[in-house]
Amino acid sequence: MTVEIDELANGLRIAVEPMPGLHSAAVGVFLTAGGRHERVEQNGIAHFLEHMAFKGTPTRSAREIAEEIEDVGGYINAYTGKEMTAYYARVLAADVPRALDILADIVLNPLFEGPDIEVERGVILQEIGQALDTPDDIIFDWLQEVAFPDQPFGRTILGPAESVGRFGRADLAGFVAEHYGPDRIIVAAAGAVDADRIRADVERMFGQLERRPKLDLAAARFAGGERREARDLEQVHVALAFEGPSARDEAAHAAQIYATVLGGGMSSRLFQELRERRGLCYSIFAHASAYEDTGLVTLYAGTGADKIRELAELAMDELRRAADGVSVAEIERARAQLKAGLLMGLESASARAERLARMLSIWGRVPSIEETLARIDAVTPERLRAFAEGLATRAEPAIALLGPVRAAPGRGELARRLAA
């Protein structure tokens, strides 16, 4: 399947990937403006904007937006991440122009009316409250904060309740004026799509936008740190993170394979040793995430207060042993998991469209699936062990703990055990 990439005169980029045999398509408007692009007083506003886009435009009410998509059996939604805000829809082939028109309308023409702002403020405050009441959600927000303290990359996507409580129309419009320029917009589509028709529609809908001044992105600086909060829960929830490679780093796939070997499934080292053999936990996993200029290798587990020290220390032992010698069989198994996950996921038009936007925003191009698979295949045992050894000898990790935490070891103790 061939990816067609184009760019309008104002800098807006278009990526289209036809998928023969599909009757449906996914189309999205992706903005390279997310949580890390907010100033401290704006924290949470990118997510607030995502909510407000669906509250109505001069030509469509909130109800009409929903009905116009659902009248043809389609689906529309949005999300906010650290580096991107996405507005997307899934429809049948004949309804792609309708979906794109609705997406363009809600992104370019939101009303920001006072009563709607108050309604969504209440919804988002409830969302924040729900996150605070969900230990295995809030623990990762805390981990991000201590890993990247006092900087945009470390702040939560939802923002603090105090900030959300004071955002008004001027704040929302100001963020749009700063960040919703055409050079920060990618329109991506995949599935049963006509590239020429999409380009013509995008030109008509977005071609009049004027470029905005380029804004400098504050580099993410991993510092590490610790946050622990005692709470009357049944379990201690613990999350640990080391700085990993960025998405542009050739070590990014080594980090993914390493995290998969360590805690990526039922056959992983952490699952087999800490859950299956010792019964110390129900949930334990590791994963690697990569961003534009940094990354994280993260471990998470939940366990009883009387088991937390043993679990944490044994987890450090597994990290050290992985650095000493990951077997070829483990690497091959992890490699197969990554490749299968990638290929299975990309059978979805939505996943294809999201990949187009993500790759274009990071690389300025869309690497072929074959190129990505080749990069995964290029991770040798020597490269993986070198990555694992480097991770094990870096500065102290970031750690966040919630629950009955009194017996939990601190990050200094864990770092010393890892380096032993």
Side-chain angles (χ1 to χ4, degrees):
M1 286 169 275
T2 302
V3 177
E4 299 190 37
I5 298 175
D6 210 335
E7 183 172 325
L8 302 186
N10 60 8
L12 184 147
R13 290 170 289 177
I14 306 165
V16 181
E17 185 173 11
M19 300 171 68
L22 266 64
H23 297 288
S24 66
V27 59
V29 178
F30 298 84
L31 291 113
T32 55
R36 72 175 303 180
H37 301 94
E38 301 166 339
R39 296 187 298 275
V40 63
E41 70 275 11
Q42 295 176 317
N43 187 204
I45 202 165
H47 174 255
F48 206 126
L49 271 169
E50 172 214 315
H51 277 243
M52 291 304 302
F54 294 92
K55 300 304 288 185
T57 74
T59 58
R60 292 178 172 99
S61 68
R63 185 181 184 90
E64 287 169 338
I65 291 168
E67 288 180 344
E68 193 170 346
I69 281 286
E70 293 180 1
D71 280 350
V72 296
Y75 172 80
I76 190 169
N77 211 335
Y79 65 83
T80 307
K82 288 291 182 187
E83 298 182 319
M84 185 174 282
T85 302
Y87 304 87
Y88 59 94
R90 184 79 184 266
V91 291
L92 295 178
D95 301 308
V96 170
R98 177 196 298 241
L100 186 55
D101 184 70
I102 294 171
L103 291 170
D105 195 22
I106 67 175
V107 169
L108 299 180
N109 306 305
L111 287 176
F112 299 150
E113 292 187 334
D116 292 332
I117 291 174
E118 293 309 315
V119 168
E120 286 311 301
R121 191 192 317 280
V123 170
I124 295 167
L125 289 173
Q126 292 298 322
E127 189 176 357
I128 292 171
Q130 180 175 305
L132 291 172
D133 284 344
T134 309
D136 51 357
D137 279 352
I138 196 63
I139 197 76
F140 291 104
D141 283 343
W142 292 357
L143 185 68
Q144 192 87 14
E145 289 172 355
V146 295
F148 300 95
D150 302 318
Q151 52 189 298
F153 198 79
R155 299 184 191 119
T156 67
I157 297 295
L158 298 181
E162 308 81 60
S163 295
V164 171
R166 65 172 180 265
F167 290 146
R169 189 182 196 285
D171 302 297
L172 297 166
F175 192 83
V176 168
E178 281 185 282
H179 297 284
Y180 276 40
D183 54 326
R184 301 187 70 174
I185 296 176
I186 298 170
V187 176
V193 290
D194 180 329
D196 291 336
R197 174 67 188 272
I198 287 176
R199 191 199 186 286
D201 286 344
V202 171
E203 176 78 63
R204 174 173 52 83
M205 297 170 187
F206 294 90
Q208 80 286 357
L209 295 179
E210 296 182 359
R211 289 179 183 262
R212 312 286 168 83
K214 188 172 178 60
L215 299 174
D216 293 330
L217 179 66
R221 305 176 311 279
F222 184 93
E226 180 175 328
R227 175 171 178 176
R228 59 174 65 205
E229 181 173 312
R231 192 179 293 183
D232 187 15
L233 301 173
E234 290 295 323
Q235 285 197 314
V236 180
H237 298 264
V238 55
L240 183 82
F242 298 86
E243 185 175 22
S246 74
R248 295 192 181 103
D249 193 317
E250 65 177 14
H253 293 298
Q256 289 182 317
I257 290 179
Y258 173 78
T260 303
V261 167
L262 195 63
M266 293 174 62
S267 64
S268 67
R269 290 185 171 210
L270 290 174
F271 192 96
Q272 284 295 313
E273 181 65 20
L274 277 68
R275 174 178 157 150
E276 294 295 277
R277 182 165 178 265
R278 299 178 184 267
L280 294 176
C281 57
Y282 173 75
S283 178
I284 186 165
F285 62 82
H287 71 269
S289 51
Y291 301 92
E292 186 173 330
D293 59 348
T294 190
L296 287 173
V297 176
T298 304
L299 282 68
Y300 164 82
T303 191
D306 60 333
K307 305 292 186 184
I308 181 59
R309 176 169 289 275
E310 183 182 7
L311 180 143
E313 291 177 347
L314 288 171
M316 293 304 98
D317 292 346
E318 286 303 322
L319 262 76
R320 189 179 64 251
R321 279 196 283 269
D324 291 340
V326 178
S327 71
V328 172
E330 286 177 302
I331 294 172
E332 291 303 322
R333 185 183 305 119
R335 197 195 314 279
Q337 287 177 260
L338 286 178
K339 292 165 70 173
L342 172 66
L343 294 172
M344 290 178 189
L346 291 180
E347 292 181 354
S348 156
S350 297
R352 289 264 180 172
E354 184 172 0
R355 179 179 183 270
L356 296 177
R358 179 72 175 149
M359 294 296 98
L360 201 53
S361 70
I362 291 172
W363 294 96
R365 64 185 185 90
V366 179
S368 67
I369 303 300
E370 291 74 22
E371 179 181 339
T372 301
L373 295 175
R375 289 178 180 271
I376 295 172
D377 285 335
V379 179
T380 64
E382 293 74 24
R383 287 176 62 184
L384 187 66
R385 288 174 191 135
F387 170 80
E389 288 168 3
L391 193 75
T393 56
R394 288 179 188 174
E396 292 181 8
I399 185 170
L401 303 109
L402 173 64
V405 298
R406 185 178 57 83
R411 71 187 187 111
E413 291 180 75
L414 296 179
R416 287 190 292 273
R417 189 176 184 101
L418 182 60

